[in-house]
Amino acid sequence: MDLTAFAEEVGTTGPVTITGLGTRGGPVADVRVVQPPAGIEWIQPDEMTMRCGAGTPVDDIDAALITHGQCVALPPGGTVGGALSVGRSGIRRLGYGPVRDVLLQACYVSDTGEVVQAGGPTVKNVSGFDLCRLLVGSRGTLGFLGDVIIRTRPRPRQSVWFTIDAADPFPVFAQLYRPTSVLWNGARLWALLEGHAEDVAAQAAASSLEQCDGPPELPTGSRRVVAPAEITSQSGTYVAEVGVGVVHHAEPQSAAARSESSVTKLARRVKAEFDPEGRLNPGVDLA
């Protein structure tokens, strides 16, 4: 995919912001806006990889992969570039792994308007610095994704949500074999089991789980990360991802708590190295 036109649009001077479908946050206000290329370039089902423009909708990728019996471990909705730039894995992280593992190669436009390639097209590529993982979750502040090579995964034969009352999530969690997602709100547990229908049914029966329509609605006040064992010490209204440590809380987290974290401080230092003039997505909160 030729990114020359996209790089020229980003340019070399002045603040600039990028946007896709706007589902994970719109562009920076009062700043020149660019959009990344879109479209699927190729799918290699035997290698379980595909290449597409960063502006390609995740739902379009999912539809294209159905015929190959595969899927991609990105949260639904929005664009591929948006999902990678935000870097939030979604509630299937327990079974599918983090979003950063999806990205194999990225061609992005730097703050100087140059096209830079990071990573490699194969799953086992290990050469050089792992810039791809650095780009994931950077919210477009280190570079604007143009096109990417991402890994795919087998599409499960069956996906079913189950639920059960649970004052403590860990005894039930220990009985489950490789669940895709386990959520808990302090009193009730939800589990997503995937695989062959017989195996899913047997596992649910062994743990006394009851089938339900889907997961609970996630609170949107704040998204916090704690040690997986510490989810039982939470208070208030929340839904925790068991085995992962992500807590979706109804109450917002203070700006001070976010801005003083060691991760936030490191992110700001990296931003200063990659984009010293602050051209790319200026003012975006890295906390």
Side-chain angles (χ1 to χ4, degrees):
M1 185 174 289
D2 186 2
L3 298 181
T4 302
F6 180 50
E8 291 176 349
E9 190 177 5
V10 174
T12 60
T13 60
V16 59
T17 184
I18 189 170
T19 188
L21 298 178
T23 57
R24 294 179 173 88
V28 177
D30 301 322
V31 175
R32 182 169 59 87
V33 180
V34 297
Q35 289 187 312
I40 297 173
E41 187 168 345
W42 49 254
I43 298 175
Q44 295 182 348
D46 292 342
E47 297 293 330
M48 301 193 75
T49 58
M50 68 178 298
R51 184 169 191 165
C52 66
T56 309
V58 174
D59 293 345
D60 288 0
I61 286 177
D62 189 64
L65 289 172
I66 287 178
T67 58
H68 303 291
Q70 296 179 5
C71 61
V72 65
L74 292 175
T79 63
V80 173
L84 293 171
S85 294
V86 171
R88 292 187 174 178
S89 302
I91 59 175
R92 288 173 170 78
R93 174 173 175 168
L94 179 66
Y96 290 3
V99 163
R100 63 175 179 268
D101 290 347
V102 174
L103 183 61
L104 298 174
Q105 177 180 296
C107 290
Y108 68 94
V109 179
S110 70
D111 67 310
T112 58
E114 298 176 279
V115 176
V116 182
Q117 179 176 305
T122 60
V123 173
K124 294 184 179 180
N125 175 70
V126 293
S127 61
F129 294 104
D130 196 349
L131 291 180
C132 285
R133 288 177 180 249
L134 193 61
L135 292 169
V136 174
S138 66
R139 297 179 178 270
T141 61
L142 306 182
F144 289 168
L145 293 174
D147 76 71
V148 296
I149 296 178
I150 55 179
R151 71 173 73 199
T152 63
R153 57 177 295 116
R155 186 177 291 269
R157 297 290 185 89
Q158 188 179 60
S159 299
V160 184
W161 280 96
F162 297 89
T163 188
I164 189 174
D165 288 331
D168 182 345
F170 293 113
V172 179
F173 182 61
Q175 294 176 0
L176 301 176
Y177 178 72
R178 293 185 178 180
T180 300
S181 179
V182 178
L183 307 176
W184 181 69
N185 68 356
R188 194 161 188 81
L189 179 145
W190 292 260
L192 175 60
L193 305 182
E194 296 185 327
H196 292 278
E198 297 82 0
D199 295 334
V200 169
Q203 189 174 178
S207 302
S208 302
L209 299 175
E210 299 178 357
Q211 187 171 338
C212 62
D213 294 335
E217 185 175 350
L218 300 180
T220 58
S222 60
R223 183 179 183 273
R224 310 175 187 184
V225 180
V226 301
E230 294 179 3
I231 63 170
T232 54
S233 64
Q234 303 302 304
S235 60
T237 301
Y238 65 90
V239 173
E241 298 181 33
V242 184
V244 176
V246 172
V247 179
H248 305 268
H249 209 283
E251 296 296 326
Q253 192 172 26
S254 69
R258 291 185 288 115
S259 63
E260 290 302 317
S261 72
S262 58
V263 174
T264 298
K265 292 178 181 178
L266 179 59
R268 289 170 179 161
R269 289 174 57 190
V270 172
K271 164 68 173 174
E273 293 291 331
F274 273 72
D275 182 17
E277 296 184 4
R279 290 191 61 223
L280 308 179
N281 276 355
V284 168
D285 185 11
L286 296 177

